[in-house]
Amino acid sequence: MKQTGYLLNKKEGLEGEPGLFYNYILAQNGLFVRGNSELLEATVCIAPAEVRGLSPVIEEVRLKKGRIPRCLYDLALSVVAANRYREHYLAVTWEGEYRLREPRQSGSSAGVEYQVLPSTVLDIHSHGAVRAFFSGTDNRDEQGLRLYMVAGRLDTLVPEVELRVGVYGYFATIEFNQIFG
């Protein structure tokens, strides 16, 4: 089996040889990439287009172990806000249940280096007092099949948060209630 598959979304279903890690899917409404792991399945549109004769595909995110508890989101914001003038990293991992982890790291006001943890489903990092956004560095670093969150403006009463799903370097914005429950 190849690492990458190339599929057509026909009325009868997907046609082609699926890949081991991810698939490109040509559909009526564009080109999509779909990744699948033990924790997450995600489909992201990477090039909208009209392709006659095929069936449409929708962007979606499915956490296979259920949504992440809201209390882990609240706890993560509290932890990163405690050091509001330097960047910080946290991970939500699956260990029979979702857990918030803080690996070894070295953070400054302009970046953070951290140890990657196994079974991570959500990467969380902060931008301190700067607004929440995904930087060019984030785009280069975030190349897995994973959920990503950045928190910013931690020096204000209500911090900013941005969320996205990444499918091997392709990204789509996601809503809070898609991943937190």
Side-chain angles (χ1 to χ4, degrees):
M1 180 178 265
K2 297 179 183 177
Q3 291 183 348
T4 306
Y6 300 91
L7 308 173
L8 295 175
N9 194 37
K10 295 189 169 184
K11 290 180 184 177
E12 303 80 34
L14 292 172
E15 181 181 292
E17 184 180 344
L20 184 60
F21 296 111
Y22 61 96
N23 295 303
Y24 289 103
I25 303 170
L26 185 60
Q28 177 187 15
N29 51 337
L31 180 62
F32 292 77
V33 64
R34 178 176 291 157
N36 192 5
S37 74
E38 64 202 34
L39 300 173
L40 178 68
E41 182 176 357
T43 304
V44 171
C45 182
I46 58 176
E50 181 183 341
V51 182
R52 295 182 187 116
L54 296 177
S55 294
V57 168
I58 59 168
E59 285 190 323
E60 61 183 336
V61 174
R62 185 172 69 88
L63 285 161
K64 293 184 176 180
K65 306 297 183 180
R67 291 187 296 168
I68 299 167
R70 166 73 190 245
C71 63
L72 294 182
Y73 170 84
D74 294 335
L75 180 58
L77 278 185
S78 294
V79 170
V80 297
N83 292 303
R84 62 189 64 178
Y85 297 108
R86 74 175 180 90
E87 292 199 16
H88 200 89
Y89 173 82
L90 300 169
V92 174
T93 61
W94 177 258
E95 301 170 41
E97 65 181 356
Y98 289 115
R99 295 187 181 260
L100 184 65
R101 298 291 185 198
E102 183 178 24
R104 281 186 278 154
Q105 60 192 277
S106 173
S108 69
S109 63
V112 62
E113 293 184 19
Y114 52 88
Q115 175 188 359
V116 176
L117 300 177
S119 298
T120 298
V121 67
L122 171 63
D123 277 342
I124 302 168
H125 77 279
S126 66
H127 281 178
V130 178
R131 71 181 176 84
F133 69 100
F134 290 100
S135 68
T137 300
D138 297 335
N139 292 342
R140 284 187 300 279
D141 290 347
E142 297 174 354
Q143 294 295 307
L145 174 59
R146 193 166 292 162
L147 303 171
Y148 299 100
M149 178 176 132
V150 61
R153 302 238 191 258
L154 297 173
D155 58 338
T156 65
L157 184 60
V158 181
E160 294 178 0
V161 173
E162 293 290 328
L163 297 163
R164 71 181 179 182
V165 61
V167 182
Y168 302 108
Y170 299 102
F171 305 104
T173 301
I174 53 177
E175 298 296 320
F176 181 88
N177 62 1
Q178 287 180 273
I179 61 169
F180 293 105

